[in-house]
Amino acid sequence: MTTDTDTETEKSIKKPKKTPKQKGLSIAKNLLIYGLVFAVIYTAINWWRQPIMPANPQLQLTDYQGQVVDLAALSNEQPTLVYFWGTWCPICSITSPTIDKLAAANDYPVVTIAIKSGTDQELHRYLNENSYRFTTINDQEGSIFADWQGQVTPSYVILKNGEMTQGLTGIQPLWSLKLRLWLSSVF
């Protein structure tokens, strides 16, 4: 049974309406919290999935056109990006144009390793169809990627002085790759 005084008490207990400034601060706080949680989870997953440099890595490779590529020598001059990808990888079709832009800028050496992407002729046709100009090693059996304990494509490794300084996976924007290469050159 409710009385008139109960109803009036309920009305007086109601929370006051938030001002637009309070609403904005509440939204900003929530975005910050969700962003921080996302960043922590993303960093943990990326760290877990990143390639791991083998104890005795093969750093002198031959590209699909028969040219020798010496990753140790390239990375002694400046940080070098090694990009593991595949013609069959749907995410790589999004990231490869970014890698091509980075390679075309010629600021840092870029070497890509196409994993299980067919014969040299099939890989050549794919690269031509997509107008990719980056240096590509054809890892037909996936053995190079396996040596690096790669788990997902695309994966990225930054080498400096023949040693891995960073490992990444997934979609990486151009600015992020440039920043990471620059940081590797400074530190």
Side-chain angles (χ1 to χ4, degrees), residues 24-130:
L25 287 173
S26 177
I27 290 170
K29 182 178 106 178
N30 284 336
L31 286 174
L32 184 63
I33 290 170
Y34 288 126
L36 185 60
V37 168
F38 173 80
V40 167
I41 291 170
Y42 176 80
T43 302
I45 290 172
N46 191 47
W47 176 80
W48 178 66
R49 299 185 319 175
Q50 75 179 348
I52 298 169
M53 187 167 187
N56 192 12
Q58 182 183 357
L59 296 178
Q60 196 167 56
L61 304 166
T62 304
D63 73 7
Y64 79 98
Q65 295 175 318
Q67 302 297 313
V68 174
V69 178
D70 189 345
L71 294 173
L74 285 172
S75 69
N76 281 337
E77 295 172 19
Q78 61 190 63
T80 301
L81 178 71
V82 179
Y83 169 62
F84 294 96
W85 65 288
T87 58
W88 43 266
C89 165
I91 302 300
C92 299
S93 64
I94 296 168
T95 57
S96 291
T98 301
I99 300 304
D100 193 54
K101 285 179 190 171
L102 185 62
N106 219 15
D107 295 329
Y108 297 97
V110 175
V111 176
T112 73
I113 300 177
I115 306 156
K116 297 182 180 181
S117 294
T119 65
D120 290 342
Q121 293 79 17
E122 292 168 329
L123 180 58
H124 180 74
R125 189 173 335 123
Y126 180 85
L127 293 169
N128 281 342
E129 286 172 3
N130 290 282

Side-chain angles (χ1 to χ4, degrees), residues 145-156:
F145 193 53
D147 284 347
W148 285 80
Q149 298 178 34
Q151 297 181 32
V152 296
T153 56
S155 289
Y156 315 79

